[in-house]
Amino acid sequence: MSLRHGLLGLLAEGPASGYDLAGRFQEVLGMVWPAQHPKIYAELGKLADDGLIEVDSVGARGRKAYRITPDGLAEVRRWLTSTEVDHTMRLQALLRSVFFWLMPPDDLRRHLAAEETYYRQTADFYRQIAAAKDRGDYGDSPPTQAIRIAAEAGIRLHQALADWAEWAQTAPLSSDEDSD
Amino acid sequence: MSLRHGLLGLLAEGPASGYDLAGRFQEVLGMVWPAQHPKIYAELGKLADDGLIEVDSVGARGRKAYRITPDGLAEVRRWLTSTEVDHTMRLQALLRSVFFWLMPPDDLRRHLAAEETYYRQTADFYRQIAAAKDRGDYGDSPPTQAIRIAAEAGIRLHQALADWAEWAQTAPLSSDEDSD
DNA sequence: CTCGAACCTGTCCCTAAGGACATGTCCATG
DNA sequence: CATGGACATGTCCTTAGGGACAGGTTCGAG
């Protein structure tokens, strides 16, 4: 139930509406934990039922901001420190790589080159976030420092994948193109 | 629908039963694409309905082996070469890192040290697979070569995460422990 | 004043994933 | 011969995720 705790974690920074949280998931967490608004609104309702968050204010345009409760803060801390990390890595790119031998060599080279470009660009995107944080563009509050650490992971992960895609282009792989 | 294509890809290597495929997903694909047997049996049924696979043989203990059809082989190749790669990276460890500022510093250090150990061990696990393939323990058929490439990604990804966890232990991060 | 864009909240439905439960076979060991 | 473990297939049910649909508000530009 990571979405639940992701929501609690974001609300620990301060009150926010479902709309705000959907935006934050899009920009900050979009690449590591996608979440669409239908799921977010539903989960906010459940969190409120469980007393982990409560309505902070109702503003213009029906805007309903939630605030984390002491129970909610305790719950997100319990999750962070007392639960096992789920190390599942569901990467479609890696699943595909197991079947590279089914691709015509030219298609595979093109594919790997495109992947390399994508990963380098994404690594650069995270580098820009990291540079902005290091310049102090967003202050240096604890949440900002944590995002800097997350961005570092984004950089290293995508850099590793870019280097892998480059390496794979040189790796020997006889195709099985003729066998159908 | 990656499970569907993962199944087709594995069946492209030769006939296999649902039980075999569950084992392959466990050992080969378990870390990049977990799949339990209930999902596998259900999906095999649908693939057979769609004519992408067919029953190859029925053996002892009710064993039912499937064989990929020409349509199925064409479909997995179409998936590999003509569909967009889904680059979604749903990593709980990264989601958690955004909330590191909520953890007491001592807990965080312990957590990062444990994570580092886990990632180093997992990287070593992939290194052993890669070394075995390089020694030729499994021959050098195209599918084996592809798994070697996938293992390389496993090594690089987990090594990057281990280095990140090590780096994060030295990164400055003031906690927000007192604020509840 | 009107109209479109951004703001804001939700429901509905389908598929994917995963844990629990159920069933039966074959074989080796004691 | 009995019994446990690996082999083998499946159902059921709940939750998670994601696309489509639906509706209402505020504000700024023309």
Side-chain angles (χ1 to χ4, degrees), chain B residues 11 47 61 76:
Chain B
L11 285 171
L47 284 165
R61 277 174 268 192
V76 66

Side-chain angles (χ1 to χ4, degrees), chain A residues 9 11 17 20 29 39 51 57 79 81 85 106 111 127 141:
Chain A
L11 285 171
S17 67
D20 295 338
L29 301 173
K39 203 74 217 307
S57 64
W79 176 66
T81 61
V85 179
D106 283 352
H111 171 77
R127 274 190 195 96
S141 62

